[in-house]
Amino acid sequence: MTDSTPAVVDALPETNPFARPWELDLELPDFTAVKPADIEPAVRAGMAAQRAEWEAIATDPDAPTVENTVAAVERSGELLSRALTVLYSLTSATDSPELDALEERLAPDLAAHEDAYSLDARIYRRFKALDERVQSAAAATPAQIPVDADGQVIDAETARYIRLAVEEFEREGVALTGPDADRLRAINARLTALSTRFATLTTNAMHAAGVANFTATPALVTAATHAERVALLNRSLGRGLSGEHDTRAIVLEEAGLRAERARLLGYPTTPPSSPPSRPPAPARR
């Protein structure tokens, strides 16, 4: 069985509030206990811990099972998830240049962290082996109940999870090697940095224009005349298109990188975020 506890991680001091699970109901974050300076060490320690957990899964000499592969992956990253939940909640809900800068600074490293998993052919092969067990059982005559190397039944929900994991590995470029894989990592890092910078600029542009990031901006309440409403509309439509908040160069660079990424992965255009067999995600407001 895979040991999900990493042998060597970047230890957090006990004074860091992320060093242990939250004690609030449902393990909700205790935002009052967090200082901005606590977040970056926790994120970096969390990445190191999860990388160690992934390495333990990838190098497990035992045959892949639901427990030592699927469950082990699901258990990984507890500290990182705890830290990023707080960071992203704060950057979404507050106007904090310090945290915006931190998010931008971490973006390339987080992209590399994600690639460490999605481009790891060793973990992919473990999921692939489990998926092949499911497919072989389904193809048998009569059809059989799939089991893993430990004899544990692979139920329908787990089988679906495994299939989607295999598809995601393949869609994200796990088959790439050498210079192509290196270029994919570089593109992913740059795209993450650009999208994070874009979000910061658009938020700042929204504040500078005095508008909100939704249709019924509160300023409409005090816009008494048609001219005031037209001016408000123009400020809303023009945000992010000039001055220090101009995002057009970012959009153009991101479009070019996404097209290059698609070609690397063998797609004529940007690959879908969901495989054909996965139902579409619900629309977001």
Side-chain angles (χ1 to χ4, degrees):
M1 179 182 297
T2 299
D3 182 359
S4 62
T5 302
V8 178
V9 300
D10 292 347
L12 280 177
E14 284 298 311
T15 54
N16 190 298
F18 294 102
R20 65 195 64 81
W22 303 114
E23 296 180 356
L24 297 178
D25 290 345
L26 304 178
E27 293 190 3
L28 292 173
D30 184 2
F31 289 97
T32 62
V34 176
K35 299 186 295 293
D38 296 326
I39 298 175
E40 183 171 5
V43 171
R44 296 198 180 280
M47 285 192 287
Q50 190 170 38
R51 291 282 276 270
E53 290 166 333
W54 289 339
E55 186 65 20
I57 296 166
T59 58
D60 190 341
D62 294 337
T65 64
V66 171
E67 175 60 29
N68 69 20
T69 300
V70 179
V73 166
E74 281 294 288
R75 285 193 299 266
S76 71
E78 180 186 355
L79 171 57
L80 180 60
S81 176
R82 195 156 62 239
L84 289 180
T85 295
V86 169
L87 174 61
Y88 294 151
S89 295
L90 290 175
T91 53
S92 297
T94 65
D95 182 14
S96 172
E98 180 181 4
L99 291 179
D100 289 341
L102 173 59
E103 191 172 6
E104 289 189 44
R105 188 165 65 250
L106 288 171
D109 295 330
L110 287 168
H113 180 70
E114 291 299 317
D115 283 343
Y117 175 79
S118 61
L119 300 181
D120 192 323
R122 301 168 301 172
I123 299 179
Y124 164 70
R125 286 193 292 268
R126 296 183 73 84
F127 276 95
K128 185 69 173 176
L130 290 169
D131 187 53
E132 288 172 351
R133 281 180 170 269
V134 173
Q135 303 304 321
S136 295
T141 305
Q144 300 174 358
I145 296 175
V147 296
D148 66 14
D150 283 345
Q152 178 180 339
V153 171
I154 304 175
D155 59 33
E157 183 180 48
T158 304
R160 180 63 173 157
Y161 178 97
I162 292 167
R163 173 96 291 266
L164 292 178
V166 168
E167 290 177 348
E168 185 170 3
F169 272 111
E170 294 171 349
R171 190 175 63 255
E172 293 300 314
V174 72
L176 294 181
T177 59
D180 285 344
D182 292 340
R183 180 56 184 159
L184 179 63
R185 291 185 179 92
I187 291 173
N188 288 343
R190 183 59 179 161
L191 283 173
T192 303
L194 287 171
S195 62
T196 305
R197 182 59 180 161
F198 179 88
T200 299
L201 288 177
T202 53
T203 299
N204 291 341
M206 176 186 71
H207 292 314
V211 299
N213 198 26
F214 47 86
T215 305
T217 182
L220 278 173
V221 175
T222 58
T225 67
H226 175 69
E228 289 174 329
R229 289 192 290 273
V230 169
L232 178 61
L233 175 63
N234 289 336
R235 291 202 310 274
S236 181
L237 294 176
R239 67 180 189 262
L241 297 179
S242 63
E244 63 180 320
H245 304 131
D246 195 331
T247 59
R248 290 174 294 179
I250 291 177
V251 171
L252 289 174
E253 183 180 354
E254 188 167 342
L257 287 172
R258 289 189 181 280
E260 183 184 354
R261 185 178 187 275
R263 290 191 295 271
L264 268 177
L265 295 173
Y267 295 96
T269 59
T270 300
S273 58
S274 299
S277 59
R278 183 181 297 181
R284 295 183 177 180
R285 292 181 180 270

